[in-house]
Amino acid sequence: DAGIREGDRVLAIDGEELGRFETVREVVGPLEGETVPVLLERGGERRTVDVTLRPFVSNGQEGCCLGISRGTAPEERLGVLEGAVRAPVEFVDITWTSAQALGRFFTPGGVTDFAGQVWDAREDRAARTGDPAPSRPSSGGSSSSSAADDAEPSENRLLSILGLVQIGSDVGKVDPSALIGIYALVNIFIGVFNLVPLLPFDGGHVAIAVYEKVQERRLRRRRYFADVARLLPLTMVVIGLLGALSLSTIYLDLTNAYPY
């Protein structure tokens, strides 16, 4: 009774434990054509089977895999009261995760990493697909082998509408109901992003209102109005950066650099 069946949970390949699904590609890639032992779990029991890693072609691109996919989480049904308690907790968790992701992205290291992804997008795509890489002046020390090693998409980036549609399409084919969760995640993330205390975000208007209130109490005045026109140059810079960020994320998604 050999081979992998639907519902099996793959634990290790050729002795390499799989901490996450993305690890499969890293482990399997160099072993194409070989027969390797695969440790899996079936019906609560662990067993090892020998599997030959054969190449395949998907969407015009060659690859090597086991013919497995990321499993979906089991459905969980909640009562009305339990759902009413769980919903705020989940909302806080997602909001905090979104805030942490934005905090990591908008740091010197995060911005530098994102700029590197945009600059190397075409080379990374060529390294993943095996296509000839476009010519570009050498920076003085990089090699094709190192480019291939670093070709995995980074998770430190934002998705454009194109990337969201692609992910939604892939998820919808497996579990259409999961699209509701994606819709909620996107809206929470946009809400958190909109709280950045800079114009033209709503967070900027909130910051101005708080500043005016502080000035009223400090100056003992009934009403104080800040000169918002002075912030116009900064606002234009923010709009320009948002435009550049939008174009960059679209470019990354068009070069097939989805981070999953």
Side-chain angles (χ1 to χ4, degrees), residues 92-186:
V92 171
D93 288 343
I94 296 174
T95 300
W96 176 242
T97 301
S98 299
Q100 287 180 311
L102 282 174
R104 286 192 300 268
F105 183 86
F106 290 107
T107 59
V111 173
T112 301
D113 178 59
F114 179 75
Q117 293 176 51
V118 175
W119 178 256
D120 297 330
R122 296 177 65 188
E123 285 81 357
D124 291 344
R125 175 184 174 89
R128 289 195 305 273
T129 62
D131 297 332
S135 59
R136 177 177 290 175
S138 174
S139 58
S142 62
S143 64
S144 58
S145 60
S146 62
D149 293 338
D150 297 334
E152 295 300 322
S154 171
E155 296 182 359
N156 179 46
R157 55 159 295 192
L158 302 178
L159 284 175
S160 71
I161 185 64
L162 294 177
L164 289 174
V165 170
Q166 177 65 39
I167 292 178
S169 176
D170 294 342
V171 172
K173 292 177 182 178
V174 178
D175 183 11
S177 63
L179 294 175
I180 299 176
I182 293 179
Y183 180 79
L185 289 173
V186 170

Coordinates of all heavy atoms in Angstrom, one line a residue, residues 92-186:
V92 N -9.5 41.9 17.0 CA -8.3 42.5 17.6 C -7.1 41.8 17.2 O -6.0 42.5 16.9 CB -8.5 42.4 19.2 CG1 -7.2 42.8 19.9 CG2 -9.6 43.3 19.7
D93 N -7.1 40.5 17.1 CA -5.9 39.7 16.6 C -5.5 40.2 15.2 O -4.3 40.4 14.9 CB -6.1 38.2 16.7 CG -6.2 37.7 18.1 OD1 -5.7 38.4 19.0 OD2 -6.7 36.6 18.3
I94 N -6.5 40.2 14.3 CA -6.1 40.6 12.9 C -5.7 42.0 12.8 O -4.7 42.4 12.1 CB -7.4 40.4 12.0 CG1 -7.8 38.9 12.0 CG2 -7.1 40.9 10.6 CD1 -9.1 38.6 11.3
T95 N -6.3 42.9 13.6 CA -5.9 44.3 13.6 C -4.5 44.5 14.1 O -3.6 45.2 13.5 CB -6.8 45.2 14.5 OG1 -8.2 45.0 14.0 CG2 -6.4 46.6 14.5
W96 N -4.1 43.8 15.2 CA -2.8 43.8 15.7 C -1.7 43.3 14.7 O -0.7 43.8 14.6 CB -2.7 43.1 17.0 CG -1.3 43.0 17.7 CD1 -0.6 41.9 17.9 CD2 -0.5 44.1 18.1 NE1 0.6 42.2 18.5 CE2 0.7 43.6 18.6 CE3 -0.7 45.5 18.1 CZ2 1.7 44.3 19.1 CZ3 0.3 46.3 18.6 CH2 1.5 45.7 19.1
T97 N -2.1 42.2 14.1 CA -1.2 41.6 13.1 C -1.0 42.5 11.9 O 0.1 42.7 11.4 CB -1.8 40.2 12.6 OG1 -2.0 39.3 13.7 CG2 -0.9 39.6 11.5
S98 N -2.0 43.2 11.5 CA -1.9 44.2 10.4 C -1.0 45.3 10.8 O -0.2 45.8 10.0 CB -3.3 44.7 10.0 OG -4.2 43.6 9.5
A99 N -1.2 45.8 12.0 CA -0.4 46.9 12.5 C 1.1 46.5 12.6 O 2.0 47.3 12.2 CB -0.9 47.4 13.8
Q100 N 1.3 45.3 13.0 CA 2.7 44.8 13.1 C 3.3 44.7 11.7 O 4.5 45.1 11.5 CB 2.8 43.5 13.8 CG 2.6 43.5 15.3 CD 2.6 42.1 15.9 OE1 2.0 41.2 15.5 NE2 3.4 42.0 17.0
A101 N 2.5 44.2 10.7 CA 3.0 44.1 9.4 C 3.4 45.4 8.8 O 4.4 45.6 8.1 CB 2.0 43.3 8.5
L102 N 2.5 46.4 9.0 CA 2.8 47.7 8.5 C 4.0 48.3 9.2 O 4.8 49.0 8.5 CB 1.6 48.7 8.7 CG 0.4 48.5 7.7 CD1 -0.7 49.4 8.2 CD2 0.9 48.9 6.3
G103 N 4.2 48.1 10.5 CA 5.3 48.6 11.2 C 6.6 48.0 10.7 O 7.6 48.7 10.6
R104 N 6.6 46.7 10.3 CA 7.8 46.1 9.8 C 8.1 46.6 8.4 O 9.3 46.8 8.0 CB 7.7 44.6 9.8 CG 7.7 43.9 11.1 CD 7.9 42.4 11.0 NE 6.7 41.8 10.3 CZ 5.7 41.3 10.8 NH1 5.6 41.4 12.2 NH2 4.7 40.8 10.1
F105 N 7.1 46.8 7.6 CA 7.3 47.3 6.2 C 7.8 48.7 6.2 O 8.8 49.0 5.4 CB 5.9 47.2 5.5 CG 6.0 47.6 4.0 CD1 6.4 46.6 3.1 CD2 5.8 48.9 3.6 CE1 6.5 47.0 1.7 CE2 5.9 49.2 2.3 CZ 6.3 48.3 1.3
F106 N 7.3 49.6 7.0 CA 7.7 51.0 6.9 C 8.8 51.3 7.9 O 8.8 52.2 8.7 CB 6.5 51.9 7.2 CG 5.5 51.9 6.0 CD1 4.3 51.3 6.2 CD2 5.8 52.6 4.9 CE1 3.4 51.3 5.1 CE2 4.9 52.6 3.8 CZ 3.7 52.0 3.9
T107 N 9.8 50.5 7.8 CA 11.1 50.7 8.6 C 12.2 50.8 7.5 O 12.0 50.4 6.3 CB 11.4 49.5 9.5 OG1 11.5 48.3 8.7 CG2 10.3 49.4 10.6
P108 N 13.4 51.4 7.8 CA 14.4 51.5 6.8 C 14.8 50.1 6.2 O 14.9 50.0 5.0 CB 15.6 52.0 7.7 CG 14.9 52.8 8.7 CD 13.7 52.1 9.1
G109 N 14.8 49.1 7.1 CA 15.1 47.7 6.5 C 14.0 47.2 5.7 O 14.3 46.6 4.6
G110 N 12.8 47.4 6.1 CA 11.6 46.9 5.3 C 11.5 47.6 3.9 O 11.3 47.0 2.9
V111 N 11.7 48.9 3.9 CA 11.6 49.7 2.7 C 12.8 49.3 1.7 O 12.6 49.1 0.5 CB 11.7 51.2 2.9 CG1 11.8 52.0 1.6 CG2 10.4 51.6 3.7
T112 N 14.0 49.1 2.3 CA 15.1 48.7 1.5 C 14.9 47.3 0.9 O 15.2 47.1 -0.3 CB 16.4 48.7 2.4 OG1 16.6 50.0 2.9 CG2 17.6 48.2 1.6
D113 N 14.3 46.4 1.7 CA 14.0 45.1 1.2 C 13.0 45.1 0.1 O 13.2 44.4 -0.9 CB 13.5 44.2 2.3 CG 13.1 42.8 1.9 OD1 14.0 42.1 1.3 OD2 12.0 42.4 2.0
F114 N 12.0 45.9 0.2 CA 11.0 46.1 -0.8 C 11.6 46.6 -2.1 O 11.3 46.2 -3.2 CB 9.8 46.9 -0.3 CG 8.7 47.1 -1.3 CD1 7.8 46.1 -1.6 CD2 8.6 48.3 -2.0 CE1 6.8 46.2 -2.5 CE2 7.6 48.5 -2.9 CZ 6.7 47.4 -3.2
A115 N 12.4 47.7 -1.9 CA 13.0 48.3 -3.1 C 13.9 47.2 -3.8 O 14.0 47.2 -5.1 CB 13.9 49.5 -2.7
G116 N 14.6 46.4 -3.1 CA 15.4 45.3 -3.7 C 14.5 44.3 -4.4 O 14.9 43.8 -5.5
Q117 N 13.3 44.0 -3.9 CA 12.4 43.1 -4.6 C 12.0 43.7 -5.9 O 11.9 43.0 -6.9 CB 11.2 42.9 -3.7 CG 11.4 42.1 -2.5 CD 10.2 42.0 -1.6 OE1 9.1 41.6 -2.2 NE2 10.2 42.4 -0.4
V118 N 11.7 45.0 -6.0 CA 11.3 45.6 -7.2 C 12.4 45.6 -8.2 O 12.2 45.3 -9.4 CB 10.8 47.1 -6.9 CG1 10.5 47.8 -8.2 CG2 9.6 47.0 -6.0
W119 N 13.6 45.9 -7.8 CA 14.8 46.0 -8.6 C 15.1 44.7 -9.2 O 15.5 44.5 -10.4 CB 16.0 46.6 -7.9 CG 17.2 46.7 -8.7 CD1 18.3 45.9 -8.6 CD2 17.5 47.7 -9.7 NE1 19.3 46.2 -9.5 CE2 18.8 47.4 -10.2 CE3 16.8 48.8 -10.2 CZ2 19.4 48.1 -11.2 CZ3 17.5 49.5 -11.2 CH2 18.7 49.2 -11.7
D120 N 15.0 43.6 -8.4 CA 15.4 42.3 -8.8 C 14.3 41.4 -9.3 O 14.4 40.2 -9.5 CB 16.1 41.5 -7.7 CG 17.4 42.2 -7.3 OD1 18.0 42.9 -8.1 OD2 17.8 42.2 -6.1
A121 N 13.1 42.0 -9.5 CA 11.9 41.2 -9.8 C 12.0 40.3 -11.1 O 11.7 39.1 -11.1 CB 10.7 42.1 -10.0
R122 N 12.6 40.9 -12.1 CA 12.7 40.1 -13.4 C 13.8 39.1 -13.2 O 13.6 37.9 -13.8 CB 13.0 41.1 -14.5 CG 12.0 42.1 -14.8 CD 12.4 43.1 -15.9 NE 12.5 42.4 -17.2 CZ 13.1 43.0 -18.2 NH1 13.4 44.3 -18.2 NH2 13.2 42.4 -19.4
E123 N 14.9 39.4 -12.6 CA 15.9 38.3 -12.4 C 15.4 37.2 -11.5 O 15.7 36.0 -11.7 CB 17.1 39.0 -11.7 CG 18.0 39.8 -12.7 CD 17.4 41.2 -12.8 OE1 16.3 41.5 -12.3 OE2 18.0 42.0 -13.5
D124 N 14.6 37.5 -10.4 CA 14.0 36.5 -9.6 C 13.1 35.6 -10.3 O 13.0 34.4 -10.1 CB 13.3 37.2 -8.4 CG 14.3 37.8 -7.4 OD1 15.5 37.5 -7.5 OD2 13.8 38.7 -6.6
R125 N 12.3 36.2 -11.2 CA 11.3 35.4 -12.0 C 12.1 34.5 -12.9 O 11.8 33.3 -13.0 CB 10.4 36.3 -12.8 CG 9.5 35.6 -13.8 CD 8.7 36.5 -14.6 NE 7.9 35.8 -15.6 CZ 6.7 35.3 -15.4 NH1 6.1 35.5 -14.2 NH2 6.1 34.7 -16.4
A126 N 13.2 35.0 -13.5 CA 14.0 34.2 -14.4 C 14.6 33.0 -13.7 O 14.7 31.9 -14.2 CB 15.0 35.0 -15.1
A127 N 15.1 33.3 -12.4 CA 15.7 32.2 -11.6 C 14.7 31.2 -11.3 O 15.1 30.0 -11.2 CB 16.3 32.9 -10.4
R128 N 13.4 31.5 -11.0 CA 12.4 30.6 -10.6 C 12.0 29.7 -11.8 O 11.7 28.5 -11.7 CB 11.2 31.2 -10.0 CG 11.5 31.8 -8.6 CD 10.1 32.1 -8.0 NE 9.3 33.0 -8.8 CZ 9.4 34.3 -8.8 NH1 10.3 34.9 -8.0 NH2 8.6 35.1 -9.5
T129 N 11.8 30.4 -13.0 CA 11.3 29.7 -14.2 C 12.3 29.1 -15.0 O 12.0 28.2 -15.9 CB 10.4 30.7 -15.0 OG1 11.3 31.7 -15.5 CG2 9.3 31.3 -14.2
G130 N 13.6 29.5 -14.9 CA 14.7 29.0 -15.7 C 14.8 29.7 -17.0 O 15.6 29.3 -17.9
D131 N 14.1 30.8 -17.2 CA 14.2 31.6 -18.4 C 15.5 32.4 -18.3 O 16.0 32.7 -17.3 CB 13.0 32.5 -18.6 CG 11.7 31.8 -18.7 OD1 11.8 30.6 -19.2 OD2 10.6 32.3 -18.3
P132 N 16.0 32.9 -19.5 CA 17.2 33.7 -19.5 C 16.9 35.0 -18.8 O 15.9 35.7 -19.0 CB 17.4 34.0 -21.0 CG 16.7 32.8 -21.7 CD 15.5 32.5 -20.9
A133 N 17.8 35.4 -17.9 CA 17.6 36.6 -17.2 C 17.9 37.8 -18.0 O 18.8 37.8 -18.9 CB 18.5 36.6 -15.9
P134 N 17.1 38.9 -17.9 CA 17.4 40.1 -18.7 C 18.8 40.7 -18.3 O 19.2 40.6 -17.1 CB 16.3 41.1 -18.3 CG 15.8 40.6 -16.9 CD 16.0 39.1 -17.0
S135 N 19.5 41.3 -19.2 CA 20.8 41.8 -19.0 C 20.7 43.1 -18.2 O 19.8 43.9 -18.4 CB 21.5 42.1 -20.3 OG 20.8 43.1 -21.1
R136 N 21.6 43.3 -17.2 CA 21.6 44.5 -16.4 C 23.0 44.7 -15.9 O 23.7 43.7 -15.6 CB 20.6 44.3 -15.2 CG 20.7 45.5 -14.3 CD 19.7 45.3 -13.2 NE 18.3 45.5 -13.7 CZ 17.2 45.2 -12.9 NH1 17.4 44.9 -11.7 NH2 16.0 45.3 -13.4
P137 N 23.5 45.9 -15.8 CA 24.8 46.1 -15.3 C 25.1 45.5 -14.0 O 24.2 45.5 -13.1 CB 24.9 47.7 -15.2 CG 23.9 48.2 -16.1 CD 22.8 47.2 -16.1
S138 N 26.2 44.8 -13.9 CA 26.5 44.1 -12.7 C 26.8 45.0 -11.5 O 27.4 46.1 -11.7 CB 27.8 43.2 -12.9 OG 28.2 42.5 -11.7
S139 N 26.4 44.6 -10.3 CA 26.6 45.4 -9.1 C 28.0 45.0 -8.5 O 28.4 45.6 -7.5 CB 25.5 45.3 -8.1 OG 25.4 43.9 -7.8
G140 N 28.7 44.0 -9.1 CA 30.0 43.7 -8.6 C 30.1 42.6 -7.7 O 30.8 42.7 -6.7
G141 N 29.5 41.4 -7.9 CA 29.7 40.3 -7.0 C 28.6 39.3 -7.0 O 28.6 38.3 -6.4
S142 N 27.5 39.6 -7.6 CA 26.3 38.7 -7.7 C 26.6 37.7 -8.7 O 27.3 37.9 -9.7 CB 25.0 39.5 -8.0 OG 25.1 40.1 -9.2
S143 N 25.9 36.5 -8.5 CA 26.1 35.4 -9.5 C 24.7 34.8 -9.7 O 23.8 35.0 -9.0 CB 27.0 34.3 -9.0 OG 26.5 33.7 -7.8
S144 N 24.6 34.0 -10.9 CA 23.3 33.4 -11.2 C 22.9 32.4 -10.1 O 21.7 32.3 -9.8 CB 23.4 32.8 -12.6 OG 24.5 31.8 -12.6
S145 N 23.9 31.7 -9.5 CA 23.5 30.8 -8.5 C 23.0 31.4 -7.3 O 22.0 31.0 -6.7 CB 24.8 29.9 -8.1 OG 25.8 30.8 -7.6
S146 N 23.6 32.6 -6.9 CA 23.0 33.3 -5.7 C 21.7 33.9 -6.0 O 20.8 33.9 -5.1 CB 24.0 34.4 -5.3 OG 24.1 35.4 -6.3
A147 N 21.5 34.3 -7.2 CA 20.1 34.8 -7.6 C 19.1 33.7 -7.5 O 18.0 34.0 -7.1 CB 20.2 35.4 -9.0
A148 N 19.5 32.5 -7.9 CA 18.5 31.4 -7.8 C 18.2 31.1 -6.4 O 17.1 30.7 -6.0 CB 19.1 30.2 -8.5
D149 N 19.2 31.2 -5.5 CA 19.0 30.9 -4.1 C 18.0 31.9 -3.5 O 17.3 31.5 -2.6 CB 20.3 30.8 -3.4 CG 21.2 29.7 -3.8 OD1 20.6 28.7 -4.4 OD2 22.4 29.8 -3.6
D150 N 18.1 33.1 -3.9 CA 17.3 34.2 -3.3 C 16.1 34.5 -4.1 O 15.4 35.5 -3.9 CB 18.2 35.5 -3.2 CG 19.4 35.3 -2.3 OD1 19.3 34.4 -1.4 OD2 20.4 36.0 -2.5
A151 N 15.6 33.6 -4.9 CA 14.5 33.9 -5.8 C 13.2 33.7 -5.2 O 12.2 34.0 -5.8 CB 14.6 33.0 -7.1
E152 N 13.2 33.2 -4.0 CA 11.9 33.0 -3.3 C 11.3 34.3 -3.0 O 11.9 35.2 -2.4 CB 12.0 32.2 -2.0 CG 12.5 30.7 -2.3 CD 11.5 30.0 -3.1 OE1 10.3 30.2 -2.9 OE2 12.0 29.2 -4.0
P153 N 9.9 34.5 -3.3 CA 9.3 35.8 -3.0 C 9.3 36.1 -1.5 O 9.1 35.3 -0.6 CB 7.9 35.6 -3.5 CG 7.9 34.5 -4.4 CD 9.0 33.6 -3.9
S154 N 9.6 37.4 -1.2 CA 9.7 37.8 0.2 C 8.2 38.1 0.7 O 7.4 38.5 -0.1 CB 10.5 39.0 0.4 OG 10.4 39.6 1.7
E155 N 8.0 37.9 2.0 CA 6.7 38.2 2.6 C 6.6 39.6 3.0 O 5.5 40.1 3.4 CB 6.4 37.2 3.8 CG 6.3 35.8 3.4 CD 6.0 34.9 4.5 OE1 5.9 35.4 5.7 OE2 5.8 33.7 4.3
N156 N 7.7 40.3 3.0 CA 7.8 41.7 3.4 C 7.4 42.6 2.2 O 8.2 43.3 1.6 CB 9.2 42.1 3.9 CG 9.2 43.6 4.3 OD1 8.3 44.0 5.0 ND2 10.2 44.3 3.9
R157 N 6.1 42.6 1.9 CA 5.6 43.4 0.8 C 4.1 43.6 0.9 O 3.5 42.9 1.7 CB 6.0 42.8 -0.6 CG 5.5 41.4 -0.8 CD 5.5 41.1 -2.2 NE 4.5 41.8 -2.9 CZ 4.1 41.6 -4.2 NH1 4.6 40.6 -4.8 NH2 3.1 42.3 -4.7
L158 N 3.6 44.5 0.1 CA 2.1 44.7 0.0 C 1.6 44.1 -1.4 O 2.4 44.1 -2.3 CB 1.8 46.2 0.1 CG 2.3 46.9 1.4 CD1 1.9 48.4 1.3 CD2 1.7 46.2 2.6
L159 N 0.4 43.8 -1.4 CA -0.2 43.3 -2.6 C -1.0 44.4 -3.3 O -1.6 45.2 -2.7 CB -1.2 42.1 -2.3 CG -0.5 40.7 -2.0 CD1 -1.6 39.7 -1.6 CD2 0.2 40.2 -3.2
S160 N -1.0 44.3 -4.6 CA -1.8 45.2 -5.4 C -3.2 44.5 -5.6 O -3.4 43.4 -5.2 CB -1.2 45.5 -6.8 OG -1.2 44.4 -7.6
I161 N -4.1 45.2 -6.3 CA -5.4 44.6 -6.6 C -5.2 43.4 -7.5 O -6.0 42.4 -7.4 CB -6.3 45.7 -7.2 CG1 -7.7 45.1 -7.4 CG2 -5.8 46.1 -8.6 CD1 -8.4 44.8 -6.1
L162 N -4.2 43.4 -8.3 CA -3.9 42.2 -9.2 C -3.6 41.0 -8.3 O -4.1 39.9 -8.6 CB -2.8 42.5 -10.1 CG -3.1 43.6 -11.2 CD1 -1.9 43.9 -12.0 CD2 -4.3 43.2 -12.1
G163 N -2.7 41.2 -7.3 CA -2.3 40.1 -6.5 C -3.5 39.6 -5.6 O -3.7 38.4 -5.4
L164 N -4.4 40.5 -5.2 CA -5.5 40.1 -4.4 C -6.5 39.3 -5.2 O -7.1 38.3 -4.8 CB -6.2 41.3 -3.8 CG -5.5 42.1 -2.7 CD1 -6.2 43.4 -2.3 CD2 -5.3 41.2 -1.5
V165 N -6.7 39.7 -6.5 CA -7.6 39.0 -7.4 C -7.0 37.6 -7.6 O -7.8 36.6 -7.7 CB -7.8 39.7 -8.7 CG1 -8.5 38.9 -9.7 CG2 -8.6 41.0 -8.4
Q166 N -5.7 37.5 -7.8 CA -5.1 36.2 -8.1 C -5.3 35.2 -6.9 O -5.6 34.1 -7.0 CB -3.6 36.4 -8.4 CG -2.8 35.1 -8.6 CD -3.3 34.3 -9.8 OE1 -3.6 34.9 -10.9 NE2 -3.4 33.0 -9.7
I167 N -5.0 35.8 -5.7 CA -5.1 34.9 -4.5 C -6.6 34.6 -4.3 O -6.9 33.4 -4.0 CB -4.6 35.7 -3.3 CG1 -3.1 35.8 -3.4 CG2 -4.9 35.0 -2.0 CD1 -2.4 36.6 -2.2
G168 N -7.5 35.6 -4.5 CA -8.9 35.3 -4.3 C -9.4 34.2 -5.3 O -10.2 33.3 -5.0
S169 N -8.8 34.2 -6.5 CA -9.2 33.2 -7.5 C -8.7 31.9 -7.1 O -9.5 30.9 -7.2 CB -8.6 33.6 -8.9 OG -8.9 32.6 -9.9
D170 N -7.5 31.8 -6.7 CA -6.9 30.5 -6.3 C -7.7 29.9 -5.1 O -8.0 28.7 -5.0 CB -5.5 30.6 -5.9 CG -4.6 30.9 -7.1 OD1 -5.1 30.7 -8.3 OD2 -3.5 31.4 -7.0
V171 N -8.0 30.8 -4.1 CA -8.7 30.3 -2.9 C -10.1 30.0 -3.2 O -10.6 29.0 -2.7 CB -8.6 31.4 -1.8 CG1 -9.5 31.1 -0.6 CG2 -7.2 31.6 -1.3
G172 N -10.7 30.8 -4.1 CA -12.1 30.5 -4.4 C -12.3 29.2 -5.1 O -13.4 28.5 -4.9
K173 N -11.3 28.7 -5.8 CA -11.4 27.4 -6.5 C -11.5 26.3 -5.4 O -12.1 25.2 -5.7 CB -10.3 27.2 -7.4 CG -10.3 28.1 -8.6 CD -9.0 27.9 -9.5 CE -9.0 28.9 -10.6 NZ -7.8 28.8 -11.5
V174 N -10.8 26.5 -4.3 CA -10.7 25.4 -3.3 C -11.9 25.5 -2.3 O -12.5 24.6 -2.0 CB -9.3 25.5 -2.5 CG1 -9.3 24.5 -1.4 CG2 -8.2 25.4 -3.5
D175 N -12.1 26.8 -1.9 CA -13.2 27.0 -0.8 C -13.8 28.4 -1.1 O -13.3 29.4 -0.6 CB -12.6 26.9 0.6 CG -13.6 27.0 1.7 OD1 -14.9 27.0 1.3 OD2 -13.3 27.1 2.8
P176 N -14.9 28.5 -1.8 CA -15.5 29.8 -2.1 C -15.9 30.5 -0.8 O -15.8 31.8 -0.8 CB -16.7 29.4 -2.9 CG -16.4 28.1 -3.5 CD -15.6 27.4 -2.5
S177 N -16.2 29.8 0.2 CA -16.6 30.5 1.5 C -15.4 31.3 2.1 O -15.6 32.2 2.9 CB -17.2 29.5 2.5 OG -16.2 28.6 2.9
A178 N -14.2 30.9 1.8 CA -13.0 31.5 2.3 C -12.9 32.9 1.8 O -12.1 33.7 2.4 CB -11.8 30.7 2.0
L179 N -13.5 33.3 0.7 CA -13.4 34.6 0.1 C -14.0 35.6 1.1 O -13.6 36.8 1.1 CB -14.2 34.7 -1.2 CG -13.6 33.8 -2.3 CD1 -14.5 33.9 -3.5 CD2 -12.2 34.3 -2.7
I180 N -15.0 35.2 2.0 CA -15.5 36.1 3.0 C -14.4 36.5 4.0 O -14.3 37.7 4.3 CB -16.7 35.5 3.7 CG1 -17.8 35.2 2.7 CG2 -17.2 36.4 4.8 CD1 -19.0 34.5 3.4
G181 N -13.6 35.6 4.3 CA -12.5 35.8 5.2 C -11.4 36.8 4.6 O -10.9 37.7 5.3
I182 N -11.1 36.6 3.3 CA -10.2 37.4 2.6 C -10.7 38.8 2.6 O -10.0 39.8 2.8 CB -9.9 36.9 1.2 CG1 -9.1 35.6 1.3 CG2 -9.1 37.9 0.4 CD1 -8.8 34.9 0.0
Y183 N -12.0 39.0 2.3 CA -12.7 40.3 2.2 C -12.6 41.0 3.6 O -12.2 42.2 3.6 CB -14.2 40.1 1.8 CG -14.9 41.4 1.7 CD1 -14.8 42.2 0.6 CD2 -15.8 41.8 2.8 CE1 -15.5 43.4 0.5 CE2 -16.5 43.0 2.7 CZ -16.3 43.8 1.5 OH -17.0 45.0 1.4
A184 N -12.8 40.3 4.7 CA -12.6 40.9 6.0 C -11.2 41.3 6.3 O -10.9 42.4 6.8 CB -13.1 39.9 7.0
L185 N -10.2 40.4 5.9 CA -8.8 40.7 6.2 C -8.4 42.0 5.4 O -7.7 42.9 6.0 CB -8.0 39.6 5.7 CG -8.0 38.3 6.6 CD1 -7.2 37.2 5.9 CD2 -7.4 38.6 8.0
V186 N -8.8 42.1 4.1 CA -8.5 43.3 3.3 C -9.1 44.5 3.9 O -8.4 45.6 4.0 CB -8.9 43.1 1.9 CG1 -8.8 44.4 1.1 CG2 -8.2 42.0 1.2

